[in-house]
Amino acid sequence: MCGIGTDWIAAGRNAAAEEDTTVTSPRNDPPTQALIIFVKNPQLGKVKTRLAKTMGDAAALDAYLQMLSHVRAVAQQVDAHRAVYYSDYIDEADAWPRPQFSKYMQAPGDIGDKMRLAIEDMYHQGYARVVLVGSDLLDLQVQHLEEAFRALHFQDFVVGPAIDGGYYLIGMQEMASTIFANKAWSTDRVLESTLQDIRQLAKTVHLLRPLSDIDEEKDWLDALARHQARET
């Protein structure tokens, strides 16, 4: 997928699949795992700016609100501590209600700094496994998140590749700050570079199904058509 050799990835994936049948559901226990959702505060003219170039600010905002609604509905079905990290300010009156969701501010810095510090925060709070997911998604399903957490019982990392060469999800059994360093964010090299870092750490990784991040109008229209087909 990313041109760095896949035998080590496939081995990790196969091991997780073989072990998967032995996992018991933790739904009756307090959550030992944390799900971080990164969101942008939905403000006209400040979200999905690449969509807005062809769709207009109002349509881009509406599209992002639909993405947020979808990711929120999916996250609510997962047995985990759910932590929403806001880009600009914590909104207590929005559609992410407490106590279903805890609310935090994203840290300063680039997206790597923001993700690293959010994951560190969850580990400092005592969670055993942490998964972070973005909100520019309409194809995300609950099984993707459940698979991610199951994989972390057996693999060091889990990554959800984005079709554009980045990733929409990342999780780990323990903190590994180096995988967020020295990345050309928002390029098609992010996934490949991240997998190379994991390999250099001599760690295992489970890859989820690739999904489409929504950046361009075509991405949105294609994702919306798939979403509507699933709903019918």
Side-chain angles (χ1 to χ4, degrees):
M1 177 188 305
C2 54
I4 63 172
T6 57
D7 290 347
W8 65 286
I9 297 172
R13 176 186 287 159
N14 292 339
E18 291 171 2
E19 295 282 0
D20 181 50
T21 57
T22 68
V23 179
T24 56
S25 171
R27 290 186 181 276
N28 294 325
D29 301 322
T32 59
Q33 53 200 25
L35 174 64
I36 297 169
I37 307 112
F38 262 32
V39 305
K40 288 188 176 181
N41 294 85
Q43 304 172 78
L44 186 67
K46 295 186 177 182
V47 295
K48 307 313 299 177
T49 53
R50 289 166 64 182
L51 278 184
K53 288 180 180 178
T54 57
M55 296 174 57
D57 289 340
L61 175 60
D62 181 68
Y64 186 57
L65 287 170
Q66 291 184 62
M67 295 178 219
L68 289 177
S69 177
H70 174 73
V71 171
R72 182 170 58 250
V74 170
Q76 286 176 313
Q77 300 176 61
V78 177
D79 181 43
H81 172 74
R82 306 177 199 95
V84 181
Y85 277 74
Y86 293 85
S87 61
D88 297 317
Y89 60 91
I90 293 175
D91 189 345
E92 295 292 354
D94 65 2
W96 302 84
R98 297 183 192 264
Q100 291 95 328
F101 296 93
S102 298
K103 303 191 178 199
Y104 304 85
M105 275 293 300
Q106 295 173 25
D110 65 21
I111 186 62
D113 296 326
K114 295 174 186 293
M115 291 191 291
R116 174 178 57 81
L117 291 168
I119 292 173
E120 284 181 354
D121 191 14
M122 291 298 106
Y123 278 120
H124 290 160
Q125 292 187 36
Y127 293 98
R129 291 169 296 279
V130 180
V131 167
L132 183 150
V133 69
S135 54
D136 295 341
L137 297 161
L138 208 57
D139 290 319
L140 185 72
Q141 301 298 311
V142 65
Q143 56 263 35
H144 298 133
L145 299 180
E146 291 177 341
E147 180 183 347
F149 281 116
R150 284 198 304 270
L152 289 178
H153 285 268
F154 312 104
Q155 308 300 318
D156 300 305
F157 290 88
V158 60
V159 176
I163 293 172
D164 64 4
Y167 55 78
Y168 63 87
L169 177 149
I170 190 162
M172 56 196 71
Q173 284 188 349
E174 59 184 27
M175 193 64 218
S177 299
T178 57
I179 68 166
F180 299 112
N182 303 315
K183 296 291 181 297
W185 300 109
S186 301
T187 71
D188 61 4
R189 298 282 296 173
V190 172
L191 175 65
E192 179 178 353
S193 178
T194 300
L195 295 178
Q196 286 176 334
D197 286 346
I198 293 171
R199 181 175 61 182
Q200 289 172 359
L201 291 170
K203 299 294 187 179
T204 58
V205 60
H206 177 77
L207 293 182
L208 301 177
R209 173 186 173 188
L211 298 181
S212 175
D213 274 339
I214 297 171
D215 292 316
E216 308 287 349
E217 183 174 359
K218 185 179 185 303
D219 301 333
W220 166 246
L221 295 176
D222 290 347
L224 185 60
R226 291 190 298 270
H227 178 71
Q228 292 172 340
R230 286 192 298 267
E231 295 295 304
T232 58

